[in-house]
Amino acid sequence: MNSTSQTLKAVERVLSPPAPHWVGDGFRVHNFFPGGYSLGLRRFSPFFLMDYNAKVEFPPSDRQRGVGVHPHRGFETVTLAYHGAVAHHDSAGNSGIIYPGDVQWMTAGSGVLHKEYHEKEFSRKGGVFQMVQLWVNLPARYKMTAPKYQSIRAEQMGKVAVPGGGGYVDVIAGELRGVKGPAFTFTPINVFNFYLKAGDRFAFDLPERDNTCILVLDGEAYIQDRQVMQDHLVIFAHTGTQVQIYATQDATLLALSGEPIDEPIAAYGPFLMNTHEEIIQAYEDLNQGKFGYLEE
Ligand code: MN
C-alpha cells in the first residue's frame, strides 16, 4: 500500500440545492449537474446528470403523477428511491416498482421509450416522496448496446455495518471494504447509500482520479472537516483518497465515484452521444419507430 492511500480527499465545494423544477407533474427536482452550477458536461463523468427530488409531501390523488412516454439513447438512467414508490415501463418490455432503498438501473443503450410514474397505491394514499435520478454515460463502444433493466431491491445490496456504530452502508455498485454491489456497470463506478445513526463514524477510500461527490439526503454530517447540511452536495477535488464521515444526527447519504470517460459529449434532450451527427441519427431512428412502442 502506498502512502497516498491514507491522504484525505480534498473537498472542492459544498453546493446548496439549486432552485427546483418539475419533471412531468411527479418529480420536483434540484438539478445539481450538469445545469445547476454550470460546472461543465464532464465534471462528474461518467455521471452526466443528477436530479434530486428533495422530500416533498404529495396529497392523495386518483391520477398517477409522473412523466409520460419519452425516449433515451446512449446512457443509463439510474433511479434511487428514498421515500415513496416509483413505477417504470419501457418499450423493451421491462417494468418494475421500486420502494425506499431500491434502485432501478435502466440501460437505454441503443434506445428505449419509457415512462416514469409514482406507483399507483402511493399516489392514492399520498405521502412524502424523495428520490434521485442519475444519468450515467456510456463510452462510445457501449452506446448502442442492447437495452437492459436491473431492478435491485434494498435487501439485495451489499451490506457493510458501521464498526462500533448503529448504521450501515448499502453497496449498490462497485466495492466497499471487500463487499461488492449487485449492479452491473459498463465502467468502474461506486454507488453507496449510507444510513447512519447519530455519532456514527465511517472512513473509506475512493480512487484519487475518480469524479466523486456525496449528497446528504437526510440529517447532517461532517465530511472531512466540513459540516454538510441536508440537501447539500459535497464535491471533491482530484487529490487524496480517504473520505471520513461523522454523522452528527441520524443521516442518509449517497456517495458516487466513477472513472471519467475521456470522450466528447453531444447532449441534446433525452439523448447523450459523442457527436452531433449521432444526435441527428437518434431523432431519425426515433421518427422511424426504431425505439419500439409503448402505450401512454
Ligand atoms: Mn426518462
Side-chain angles (χ1 to χ4, degrees):
M1 192 177 273
N2 67 47
S3 59
T4 60
S5 67
Q6 291 307 314
T7 308
L8 220 53
K9 199 176 263 300
V11 170
E12 184 172 295
R13 281 173 78 178
V14 178
L15 306 180
S16 56
H21 69 270
W22 285 90
V23 177
D25 63 357
F27 307 99
R28 182 180 181 272
V29 302
H30 304 273
N31 177 251
F32 277 102
F33 56 86
Y37 283 86
S38 302
L39 298 173
L41 299 182
R42 285 158 61 165
R43 174 60 185 85
F44 296 99
S45 173
F47 306 100
F48 176 78
L49 172 147
M50 177 191 277
D51 269 350
Y52 170 45
N53 192 135
K55 280 186 202 167
V56 177
E57 171 95 31
F58 282 97
S61 170
D62 290 332
R63 194 169 45 85
Q64 276 181 276
R65 296 184 182 86
V67 54
V69 175
H70 61 280
H72 291 301
R73 171 180 279 182
F75 64 102
E76 303 180 286
T77 64
V78 177
T79 308
L80 304 96
Y82 294 89
H83 287 277
V86 186
H88 159 98
H89 290 84
D90 69 46
S91 56
N94 297 305
S95 65
I97 298 166
I98 56 166
Y99 297 96
D102 300 343
V103 173
Q104 182 176 275
W105 198 296
M106 186 192 78
T107 307
S110 61
V112 294
L113 304 174
H114 79 158
K115 54 184 180 179
E116 303 161 273
Y117 282 95
H118 294 194
E119 182 272 331
K120 209 179 190 119
E121 192 61 17
F122 173 77
S123 290
R124 210 177 56 73
K125 287 183 178 165
V128 176
F129 187 79
Q130 186 184 31
M131 59 80 86
V132 170
Q133 185 166 94
L134 305 170
W135 288 15
V136 179
N137 201 2
L138 292 169
R141 68 185 182 282
Y142 295 125
K143 281 201 179 291
M144 296 300 279
T145 192
K148 179 181 164 80
Y149 180 76
Q150 304 172 75
S151 184
I152 311 169
R153 301 273 165 228
E155 59 266 25
Q156 294 173 264
M157 304 302 177
K159 302 285 178 184
V160 177
V162 174
Y168 66 98
V169 188
D170 270 359
V171 184
I172 299 159
E175 188 174 338
L176 178 67
R177 297 203 172 160
V179 176
K180 288 193 164 71
F184 170 84
T185 70
F186 287 86
T187 61
I189 288 171
N190 292 295
V191 181
F192 309 144
N193 266 334
F194 289 80
Y195 301 100
L196 303 177
K197 295 293 182 192
D200 279 359
R201 292 177 187 275
F202 196 89
F204 62 108
D205 285 279
L206 290 169
E208 189 160 45
R209 180 173 178 244
D210 276 14
N211 287 319
T212 304
C213 59
I214 297 180
L215 177 66
V216 176
L217 292 109
D218 222 330
E220 184 188 301
Y222 277 84
I223 297 173
Q224 319 303 43
D225 59 344
R226 301 285 289 265
Q227 186 181 21
V228 186
M229 317 296 277
Q230 184 172 317
D231 301 334
H232 285 59
L233 183 74
V234 180
I235 64 178
F236 293 88
H238 296 94
T239 50
T241 58
Q242 196 183 62
V243 178
Q244 296 178 348
I245 299 174
Y246 168 51
T248 48
Q249 306 173 356
D250 289 359
T252 305
L253 290 76
L254 168 66
L256 305 174
S257 98
E259 194 177 287
I261 298 171
D262 187 19
E263 293 179 4
I265 286 180
Y268 196 85
F271 304 131
L272 189 47
M273 306 302 292
N274 295 110
T275 67
H276 179 68
E277 290 67 33
E278 289 167 343
I279 296 287
I280 306 282
Q281 187 66 50
Y283 278 102
E284 277 178 18
D285 290 350
L286 177 67
N287 292 335
Q288 288 175 16
K290 291 183 180 172
F291 284 54
Y293 174 77
L294 184 64
E295 204 173 328
E296 281 288 352

